[in-house]
Amino acid sequence: MKRKWFGILVVVLSLSVMLMGCNSEESAEETSLLDTVKDRDLLIAGVNGELPGFSYLDSEGNYSGFDADFARAIAAAVLGDADKVEYRPLSSKERFTAVQTGEVDVLTRNTTWTLTRDTSVGLNFAPVTFYDGQGIIVPKDSGITSIKDLEGTRIAVESGTTTELNLADQMRKHGINYEAVVFDSQDAAVAAYESGSADAYTTDKSGLVARKAIMKDPSAHVILDDTLSKEPLAPAVIGGDDKWFDVVKWVVNATIQAEELGITSENVDEFKDSSDPVIQRLLGTDGDLGSQLGLSDDFGYQVIKQVGNYGEIFERNLGPDTKFGLERGLNGLYTEGGLMYSPPLR
């Protein structure tokens, strides 16, 4: 008799677990940020706001830059309008809480993809949009030519960043004594360096290039050749929302795929009659890839037409024809020796 009741109890518990699983899945579906963004008819993106070339608030109150453009690409895919973005400038300390609490839908803010942020911080990272490395800038007349010359110096760095941790790692590795002068914002750190309150400033090399370009006398500063770390920068969303995560991932991939195919914002309409099934799927003229993501099937077309492919976004904001003059390097397509590669859209 006892065995009979035990068997019944096991069946009841099993059904309860199954129902709980179903409810969890339904809840995740119901609470996806994709639906929230659609209902709001507006994407809220967390950005740096202080980093020229990536996301920067100009004198007319508009945000522009590489990271800002990827937010526009997501808005074009989800809402059909790249301009439906509200940017929230966030400090390094504020950025993760803003994602966790739902203050922002996506973080497109020069943020390094790390294991800890992927796990204990609870973020999910989309494909890398910029491969970077940490560097150090010093006054040209300082006599400092490498990291080994930094003994006894004061180095300005933004708090709560991998930059601060990498600096400590490298100095310990080389046995160099230094003083970290820590600030809550990049503006404050750069201001301290330019005023002479710090002997050097460290952040990602792309950030150093951007900052150097707008210093009072850019020619008075030099970026050391040393690279302190790997810094794969990627958009991030809150963990546990696969539906929204998939959207952000495939919007980034669509920009890379478009460049691989030679499709730009200028010529995309010429490809709408293409008989190439790869192009048809990307532009939504055939297949239902968009529907599978919860988007319009022409989401790829909207991204390319309104914002451009990956190469256009890079060149417009950071490339050789801008004041930053960055070469593609690791951020080139894999077909040209870089690391940019899109999984198949099929």
Side-chain angles (χ1 to χ4, degrees), residues 6-316:
F6 179 75
I8 293 173
L9 180 61
V10 169
V11 171
V12 170
L13 288 174
S14 298
L15 288 171
S16 299
V17 170
M18 291 174 63
L19 288 171
M20 287 175 65
C22 290
N23 288 337
S24 296
E25 291 174 4
E26 289 169 1
S27 177
E29 288 290 319
E30 291 171 357
T31 58
S32 173
L33 279 172
L34 174 59
D35 302 313
T36 302
V37 172
K38 284 182 175 178
D39 291 343
R40 190 195 299 130
D41 200 28
L42 182 72
L43 176 76
I44 301 176
V47 295
N48 183 308
E50 298 180 348
L51 191 58
F54 284 84
S55 62
Y56 192 72
L57 182 63
D58 64 26
S59 58
E60 297 179 353
N62 300 312
Y63 281 93
S64 63
F66 183 83
D67 289 340
D69 271 354
F70 273 99
R72 297 182 71 242
I74 297 167
V78 177
L79 304 172
D81 187 343
D83 292 331
K84 290 184 175 179
V85 182
E86 179 180 313
Y87 295 99
R88 297 271 176 89
L90 299 169
S91 71
S92 294
K93 286 186 176 179
E94 295 169 334
R95 56 184 165 174
F96 300 139
T97 303
V99 177
Q100 292 162 340
T101 61
E103 178 186 342
V104 299
D105 304 313
V106 61
L107 190 65
T108 55
R109 183 201 182 282
N110 59 305
T111 296
T112 304
W113 180 2
T114 72
L115 185 151
T116 299
R117 292 170 178 176
D118 215 342
T119 54
S120 62
V121 177
L123 303 183
N124 276 337
F125 285 86
V128 173
T129 51
F130 195 93
Y131 289 94
D132 209 342
Q134 184 175 336
I136 298 176
I137 191 169
V138 297
K140 185 177 284 184
D141 61 3
S142 65
I144 297 171
T145 59
S146 78
I147 188 173
K148 295 179 180 177
D149 297 327
L150 291 169
E151 175 69 32
T153 57
R154 300 160 299 167
I155 304 176
V157 61
E158 191 176 4
S159 63
T161 60
T162 54
T163 308
E164 184 181 7
L165 302 176
N166 295 331
L167 178 65
D169 286 349
Q170 289 296 322
M171 291 310 201
R172 184 166 60 246
K173 173 182 173 182
H174 292 286
I176 300 170
N177 296 308
Y178 75 106
E179 178 187 349
V181 188
V182 179
F183 297 89
D184 287 336
S185 72
Q186 290 190 357
D187 278 349
V190 173
Y193 166 69
E194 280 201 275
S195 71
S197 298
D199 305 302
Y201 167 59
T202 182
T203 189
D204 296 342
K205 283 193 168 179
S206 59
L208 293 179
V209 171
R211 286 291 183 174
K212 182 172 179 281
I214 59 172
M215 286 181 177
K216 294 175 185 174
D217 181 7
S219 66
H221 307 273
V222 60
I223 299 171
L224 302 181
D225 290 336
D226 302 84
T227 299
L228 280 62
S229 66
K230 292 187 293 185
E231 302 293 336
L233 310 180
V237 298
I238 192 168
D241 187 345
D242 284 353
K243 196 172 178 181
W244 180 235
F245 184 33
D246 285 344
V247 167
V248 176
K249 277 190 298 187
W250 287 100
V251 168
V252 174
N253 286 330
T255 66
I256 299 169
Q257 178 74 82
E259 186 180 12
E260 289 178 19
L261 296 168
I263 305 175
T264 70
S265 57
E266 297 295 325
N267 67 20
V268 64
D269 286 319
E270 299 170 17
F271 285 87
K272 293 185 79 171
D273 296 326
S274 172
S275 59
D276 184 334
V278 175
I279 293 174
Q280 290 176 339
R281 288 193 291 270
L282 173 64
L283 302 185
T285 55
D286 189 36
D288 63 350
L289 296 185
S291 300
Q292 293 182 42
L293 291 168
L295 306 176
S296 169
D297 285 326
D298 72 342
F299 81 95
Y301 170 83
Q302 296 299 336
V303 170
I304 301 164
K305 181 68 177 180
Q306 296 186 43
V307 186
N309 67 34
Y310 179 88
E312 289 180 281
I313 295 171
F314 186 100
E315 298 296 335
R316 179 168 62 236

Side-chain angles (χ1 to χ4, degrees), residues 130-133 310 327-334 337-340:
F130 195 93
Y131 289 94
D132 209 342
Y310 179 88
E327 299 293 338
R328 290 288 293 273
L330 294 178
N331 297 297
L333 294 178
Y334 77 104
L339 297 176
M340 286 299 161

